[in-house]
């Protein structure tokens, strides 16, 4: 079946610090993993989505299979293997926002070398989505991300990429080199201002957009957090303001932006229209704890946008 979007990366079981009880700190079990979050966000907006990854033959792998089935995310090319475990992370909340602590090294997803990649499946999609995290988790996964991108490009599949910089996963020099080698291969990129500042050394959003456009990305969505997003292509640029909401947890907001934006592009919306919609989806996703549970559906985003007009 030809899908609108196929995402590749690592899903993570999430344990999110969600409050104190008399018997200790309470961690809510949920789901994360940036590209899985993006896949679910896109599926909740109504486009057809698939996910490519590896999962352990463990209870957490089973939970993901159930989740994606409920979310209408195609799992025909998810590899289950007893060779290792499904990845996991903790989210704690402090004065500087959320902090991720990973328990993922050696996971099945991180062992997926290019010879296990379903390239024929990827060649049938409209968009392929990968991220800096997909590349950072291991050399094998990095090679697989490049193999997927190469196959997609050769088949005319558009490539979208979130820089999602995680310096706990790889050193700065490697992150910078790989990210800058990937961007010219992409049709749409989603750096955050925070990532881009570390990766480019620049702080001005317009200079960052110039840098990425000059590298070769035709469309850059520079995510500015609560301030919204700078939409830049070679014909111009525009900042689309963010929406103010009562946020409790920003985990996964950028991933939600990506998925909602891609869903609107697939439907033929302009980048500016898609960015406004995706800003609303991302804002709503911060109103609950966890990466996946608060991702809004299309009707929730539309109701929010109607109420904001
Ligand atoms: O963007 C949120 C993700 O970062 C989170 O779900 C966990 O994928 C994750 C990661 O590797 O940090």
């Amino acid at each position: 079946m030809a899908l609108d979007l196929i995402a590749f990366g690592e899903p993570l079981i999430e344990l999110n610090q969600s409050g104190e009880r008399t018997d200790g700190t309470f961690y809510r079990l949920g789901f994360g993993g940036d590209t899985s979050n993006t896949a679910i966000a896109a599926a909740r907006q109504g486009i057809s989505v698939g996910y490519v990854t590896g999962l352990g033959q463990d209870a957490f792998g089973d939970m993901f299979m159930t989740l994606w089935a409920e979310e209408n995310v195609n799992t025909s090319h998810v590899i289950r293997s007893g060779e290792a475990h499904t990845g996991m992370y903790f989210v704690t909340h402090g004065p500087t926002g959320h902090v991720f602590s990973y328990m993922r090294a050696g996971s099945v997803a991180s062992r997926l070398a290019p010879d296990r990649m379903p390239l024929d499946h990827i060649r049938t999609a409209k968009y392929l989505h990968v991220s800096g995290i997909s590349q950072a988790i291991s050399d094998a996964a990095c090679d697989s991300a490049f193999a997927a991108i190469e196959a997609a490009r050769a088949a005319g599949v558009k490539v979208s990429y979130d820089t999602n910089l995680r310096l706990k996963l790889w050193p700065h020099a490697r992150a910078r080199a790989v990210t800058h080698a990937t961007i010219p291969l992409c049709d749409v990129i989603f750096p955050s201002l925070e990532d881009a500042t570390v990766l480019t050394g620049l702080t001005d959003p317009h200079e960052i957009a110039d840098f990425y456009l000059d590298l070769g990305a035709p469309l850059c969505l520079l995510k500015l957090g609560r301030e919204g997003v700078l939409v830049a292509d070679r014909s111009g640029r525009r900042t689309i303001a963010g929406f103010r909401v009562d946020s409790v947890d920003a985990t996964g907001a950028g991933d939600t932006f990506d998925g909602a934006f891609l869903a609107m592009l697939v439907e033929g919306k302009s980048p500016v229209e898609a960015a406004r919609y995706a800003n609303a989806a991302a804002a709503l996703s911060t109103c609950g704890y966890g990466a996946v549970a608060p991702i809004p559906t299309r009707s929730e985003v539309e109701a929010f946008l109607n109420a904001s007009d």
Side-chain angles (χ1 to χ4, degrees):
M1 179 178 91
L3 296 166
D4 293 322
L5 172 68
I6 292 178
F8 165 66
E10 180 174 37
L12 297 173
I13 288 292
E14 178 184 85
L15 289 161
N16 197 313
Q17 182 188 21
S18 304
E20 298 299 324
R21 301 193 325 193
T22 47
D23 53 351
T25 303
F26 172 59
Y27 286 85
R28 191 184 302 265
L29 182 84
F31 301 95
D34 63 338
T35 47
S36 170
N37 303 339
T38 293
I40 291 169
R44 285 192 188 175
Q45 311 320 308
I47 65 167
S48 62
V49 181
Y51 196 53
V52 170
T53 191
L55 292 173
Q57 294 282 16
D58 46 29
F60 299 126
D62 295 345
M63 286 182 202
F64 264 111
M65 293 305 280
T66 303
L67 171 76
W68 292 323
E70 288 169 357
E71 298 287 347
N72 290 320
V73 172
N74 179 293
T75 54
S76 57
H77 291 77
V78 170
I79 292 173
R80 300 293 304 270
S81 166
E83 74 200 279
H85 56 279
T86 302
M88 180 178 288
Y89 76 129
F90 285 79
V91 186
T92 48
H93 301 274
T96 55
H98 56 261
V99 176
F100 298 149
S101 301
Y102 298 121
M103 306 184 73
R104 70 195 309 177
S107 67
V108 176
S110 73
R111 293 170 187 234
L112 287 193
D115 61 347
R116 297 167 86 186
M117 288 294 283
L119 299 181
D120 283 341
H121 178 54
I122 288 168
R123 286 185 186 103
T124 63
K126 290 189 184 142
Y127 278 86
L128 167 71
H129 180 73
V130 298
S131 78
I133 297 174
S134 316
Q135 298 168 314
I137 54 173
S138 70
D139 291 352
C142 189
D143 292 347
S144 292
F146 278 114
I149 290 171
E150 196 180 312
R153 282 166 58 83
V157 177
K158 290 197 184 326
V159 178
S160 88
Y161 180 66
D162 191 318
T163 53
N164 253 344
L165 177 65
R166 298 288 183 269
L167 290 175
K168 283 183 181 165
L169 298 177
W170 55 356
H172 179 257
R174 181 168 162 79
R176 189 172 184 282
V178 171
T179 303
H180 289 177
T182 306
I183 284 171
L185 308 175
C186 298
D187 297 279
V188 189
I189 60 164
F190 298 102
S192 68
L193 179 60
E194 204 180 339
D195 286 1
T197 299
V198 178
L199 288 166
T200 66
L202 301 168
T203 52
D204 177 68
H206 290 279
E207 284 180 22
I208 292 170
D210 287 338
F211 179 88
Y212 285 138
L213 294 177
D214 288 349
L215 260 189
L219 176 60
C220 172
L221 285 297
L222 181 65
K223 293 181 274 189
L224 308 172
R226 292 163 63 106
E227 302 313 312
V229 65
L230 176 64
V231 184
D233 65 17
R234 296 201 182 98
S235 62
R237 61 192 57 184
R238 195 161 145 196
T239 301
I240 310 298
F243 293 91
R244 300 285 158 174
V245 292
D246 291 328
S247 300
V248 294
D249 178 12
T251 308
D255 311 329
T256 298
F257 181 94
D258 302 355
F261 184 87
L262 290 170
M264 293 302 112
L265 272 198
V266 164
E267 291 189 4
K269 300 283 189 308
S270 73
V272 164
E273 289 170 313
R276 182 165 184 271
Y277 182 95
N279 273 349
L284 289 172
S285 77
T286 68
C287 297
Y289 284 101
V292 168
I295 295 174
T297 60
R298 185 179 195 120
S299 55
E300 288 166 341
V301 179
E302 287 177 347
F304 178 80
L305 282 170
N306 287 338
S308 312
D309 282 341

